[in-house]
Amino acid sequence: MAKAFDSSMENPGSDAIADAFSQPFGRGMLYPRPPYSYRDAQMGLLLFRADAAAVRRNLPPGVTLIDKTPLCLVNFASYAHTAFGPYQEVYVAVQVQFRGETYMYSPMMFSDNEGATAAGRELWGFAKKRAAMRFERAGEQICFTAERPAGHPVISCSVTAERLATPAEFAAIAFPTLTMRIIPNHDAGSRPSVCQLLATRNQKRYHQSAFGTDELWSGRPALRIDSHSEVDPWHDFQPVELIGGWFSHSDLELPAATLVHDYLAP
């Protein structure tokens, strides 16, 4: 006897929708639900100041600079173990205020991993694009380069690891990361379906040396932004003053974001 057709297989019910999370629908989803654990992360951080007029071009409505020469950072990383597999990324951020609260707003980010790029854009509003990147130790420097497309340099940076540092040295930038999450409408002529400011504060634990000290060093920074492009306008963050550089070895926990502002709310 022929098996009866099960209409529920063709039209999944509310339980199937509730279980769905990321594209594609069904068993082939690209990434799981947060939070995400990062292990064996090597990260470099460069702190600098940039031109206010150039930086301001990248800010969403209502987000304002604090200083006449805004405080900015570039963070580059090589992640050995994540839910997305190993990957590398780099982003720029600037100290801002929104409704009296201080954040580090990130308008641009590169990644070389498909899942991390999609999840970053769709869940947090991280402005990620795919790029070719290289993280290496060259001489006394920890070096990072990003090209988009491959062969076209956008940013190169490095930091030495000359002396032990402490997390207290990051007090000036110890604020949540602010991002703008935009999901287009299916109707290209309409406003976005989602347009939000989100905040994220990840948890970090530094690896410990045999002497019980954090694997966190400071040293001289180097930063060069090669691209002058409307496609990837990293040149809006050309440094006018380099302040410092740091290198760390740590584990991270990346939680879901929190809503700061919904531009589409009544």
Side-chain angles (χ1 to χ4, degrees):
M1 180 180 295
K3 186 176 181 180
F5 175 71
D6 184 356
S7 62
S8 66
M9 298 299 292
E10 186 175 82
N11 299 296
S14 58
D15 289 344
I17 298 299
D19 291 339
F21 186 65
S22 66
Q23 289 273 26
F25 176 75
R27 296 183 298 169
M29 65 180 185
L30 182 58
Y31 53 85
R33 298 175 186 270
Y36 302 122
S37 296
Y38 286 64
R39 297 294 180 263
D40 196 18
Q42 298 186 73
M43 306 176 71
L45 175 68
L46 283 72
L47 197 59
F48 63 99
R49 293 192 180 275
D51 177 74
V55 170
R56 196 175 288 115
R57 292 194 289 260
N58 300 276
L59 302 184
V63 177
T64 59
L65 299 177
I66 295 176
D67 300 323
K68 292 182 179 180
T69 52
L71 186 64
C72 304
L73 65 84
V74 162
N75 186 285
F76 61 87
S78 176
Y79 303 123
H81 305 287
T82 80
F84 313 105
Y87 71 99
Q88 300 173 101
E89 71 178 16
V90 60
Y91 69 89
V92 64
V94 56
Q95 191 180 72
V96 299
Q97 280 192 340
F98 182 78
R99 294 182 174 175
E101 297 293 328
T102 301
Y103 301 93
M104 298 302 297
Y105 177 71
S106 177
M108 286 175 284
M109 180 181 285
F110 288 157
S111 168
D112 63 2
N113 178 286
E114 180 184 26
T117 301
R121 292 173 65 94
E122 295 168 7
L123 296 180
W124 290 275
F126 288 126
K128 290 190 176 186
K129 295 181 179 181
R130 294 289 299 274
M133 286 172 278
R134 185 172 67 254
F135 184 107
E136 62 181 345
R137 188 68 182 257
E140 78 280 14
Q141 300 178 82
I142 297 97
C143 302
F144 189 93
T145 59
E147 301 176 340
R148 188 174 185 274
H152 179 76
V154 175
I155 181 172
S156 59
C157 46
S158 70
V159 62
T160 59
E162 297 175 323
R163 54 193 172 275
L164 291 177
T166 67
E169 297 178 28
F170 305 134
I173 54 172
F175 300 100
T177 301
L178 187 69
T179 48
M180 188 172 186
R181 178 173 176 249
I182 300 176
I183 304 295
N185 197 297
H186 69 280
D187 180 355
S190 301
R191 296 192 304 171
S193 293
V194 175
C195 190
Q196 303 169 330
L197 289 177
L198 302 180
T200 310
R201 186 189 288 274
N202 60 13
Q203 299 176 331
K204 179 182 295 184
R205 177 169 292 180
Y206 295 105
H207 285 205
Q208 298 291 296
S209 73
F211 300 97
T213 56
D214 291 339
E215 291 197 14
L216 172 63
W217 295 267
S218 63
R220 290 165 291 168
L223 173 60
R224 188 179 71 201
I225 298 176
D226 299 290
S227 176
H228 291 263
S229 166
E230 291 301 314
V231 177
D232 295 307
W234 286 68
H235 60 276
D236 285 346
F237 289 83
Q238 284 284 1
V240 299
E241 177 191 1
L242 288 175
I243 297 174
W246 291 265
F247 174 74
S248 66
H249 188 193
S250 63
D251 296 332
L252 310 171
E253 296 293 326
L254 180 60
T258 57
L259 179 65
V260 173
H261 178 65
D262 188 342
Y263 285 102
L264 303 180

